[in-house]
Amino acid sequence: METEETVKEECVAMSKTKRIWLAFVDIVLFTVLFMIFLFLFAIPFAIAFPELKTQAGGMSVYLMMLNEVLMLASGLIAACMVLGFRKLPFSGLGLSLKGWGRSLLNGALFVVFLYAVGFGLSLLLGAVEVAGVLFSPISLLSSLLLYFLVAVTGEGGRGFILGRMLDGGVNKFVALLISAVLFSLMHLFNPSFAFVPFLNIMLAGCFLGASYIYTRNLCFPIALHWFWNWIQGSVLGYKVSGNEFSNENLLILHFPEENLINGGTFGFEGSILCSLLLVLGTVIILRHYYKGLVIRD
């Protein structure tokens, strides 16, 4: 016969399994609602603002900003609907301004450090050469705003996905890994996407989400995402995840050959140097927040 303790353990296990299952159902529902709202928002804007298309048929930086705003609005509405249905607080996303100034500074400085190492090694190894410098303040500032919107949109989605898994009882490191894999799969159709880019964007997902599993605050991840993309693309002149967002970057790069040191046509995120730096960055972040947790306890 089952003892009372055995029955209680089974109920607890069943309850946890149900919470995990509901968390993944919510993630799927969030994704579906996000796509629906994005589609509904995009159609009228595409009709109303056809002039935002460039003569070449590509997207201007202003259209890319508008696209990110629509994605951000779609994501927030989808998240509010799912959280509201579950009667969960919107604060669970982690979009709090608490400590934003310090997070912004620390995120920017940390990314500068990582790129100083990565780009410095690329130059020393002869994998990258600086062919010229193009200083365009307007281009740098407009891309800074664009990458901010990209960061808020991306990390808002990460906050929902990671937050729901953590609330559902998924182990924080398992949740981090799952969210990172999903983050990488979102780039599946990017130009020149291959195994190393997939690995690096997955590692970037771990890098960006590492602090969130301890703090449930997105300020630091947003700062990391923001300056990681801006410095990579607009300052150093690499493609960002295979995409060319501007032809007016500060540095004009020349690759003697396309290889795993410089990342080739995918940009720095296609390089093994990026792999090493993302692992290093993630370890530093995890150790920092774990030590802080231990000290508080």
Side-chain angles (χ1 to χ4, degrees):
M1 295 179 62
E2 291 184 319
T3 64
E4 185 177 346
E5 289 185 358
T6 302
V7 172
K8 287 182 178 180
E9 288 176 359
E10 290 178 352
C11 289
V12 170
M14 185 179 298
S15 176
K16 183 175 181 180
T17 301
K18 183 178 179 180
R19 286 191 294 119
I20 292 175
W21 169 249
L22 288 176
F24 283 103
V25 168
D26 287 350
I27 291 170
V28 173
L29 181 59
F30 165 77
T31 304
V32 172
L33 288 173
F34 168 76
M35 297 301 296
I36 291 173
F37 284 114
L38 183 60
F39 178 75
L40 293 175
F41 289 151
I43 291 178
F45 274 97
I47 296 173
F49 301 103
E51 68 277 5
L52 289 175
K53 287 276 187 178
T54 63
Q55 292 182 353
M59 286 200 294
S60 69
V61 66
Y62 304 107
L63 182 55
M64 286 188 280
M65 287 183 192
L66 177 59
N67 184 61
E68 289 301 325
V69 170
L70 295 180
M71 291 180 67
L72 177 59
S74 301
L76 290 177
I77 293 173
C80 284
M81 289 182 67
V82 176
L83 292 175
F85 178 73
R86 295 295 181 203
K87 297 182 180 179
L88 296 170
F90 181 74
S91 58
L93 277 180
L95 289 172
S96 168
L97 293 178
K98 182 180 180 180
W100 70 269
R102 184 176 180 181
S103 295
L104 184 67
L105 178 61
N106 289 342
L109 291 176
F110 193 37
V111 170
V112 168
F113 162 72
L114 292 176
Y115 270 119
V117 174
F119 190 63
L121 286 174
S122 297
L123 291 173
L124 288 174
L125 294 171
V128 173
E129 298 173 356
V130 178
V133 177
L134 176 62
F135 182 63
S136 173
I138 294 177
S139 179
L140 288 171
L141 289 174
S142 61
S143 63
L144 186 66
L145 177 56
L146 170 63
Y147 287 126
F148 172 73
L149 294 172
V150 171
V152 175
T153 302
E155 297 313 306
R158 191 187 316 281
F160 179 87
I161 292 171
L162 257 179
R164 285 301 296 122
M165 284 193 286
L166 294 174
D167 289 340
V170 179
N171 176 273
K172 59 179 176 290
F173 297 111
V174 173
L176 180 62
L177 180 59
I178 292 173
S179 68
V181 171
L182 293 175
F183 180 63
S184 188
L185 290 175
M186 288 171 59
H187 298 75
L188 187 61
F189 298 105
N190 284 30
S192 305
F193 194 78
F195 175 73
V196 174
F198 168 80
L199 174 65
N200 282 345
I201 295 181
M202 183 187 72
L203 291 173
C206 294
F207 171 69
L208 294 169
S211 67
Y212 181 84
I213 63 175
Y214 290 103
T215 66
R216 300 296 290 269
N217 188 306
L218 288 173
C219 284
F220 186 60
I222 287 173
L224 290 178
H225 199 156
W226 183 11
F227 288 101
W228 176 270
N229 282 344
W230 186 67
I231 293 175
Q232 179 183 191
S234 298
V235 176
L236 297 180
Y238 287 98
K239 290 184 178 180
V240 179
S241 302
N243 293 306
E244 187 84 60
F245 287 99
S246 173
N247 57 3
E248 296 183 335
N249 302 319
L250 181 63
L251 298 185
I252 301 171
L253 299 182
H254 169 68
F255 296 164
E257 64 174 347
E258 295 180 359
N259 54 42
L260 290 177
I261 303 298
N262 55 41
T265 56
F266 196 78
F268 186 70
E269 291 170 343
S271 72
I272 56 175
L273 283 177
C274 180
S275 309
L276 296 174
L277 289 175
L278 287 171
V279 171
L280 173 64
T282 303
V283 170
I284 290 173
I285 292 171
L286 290 175
R287 283 179 59 86
H288 172 77
Y289 284 97
Y290 177 74
K291 283 185 177 180
L293 186 66
V294 171
I295 290 172
R296 286 195 298 272
D297 289 345

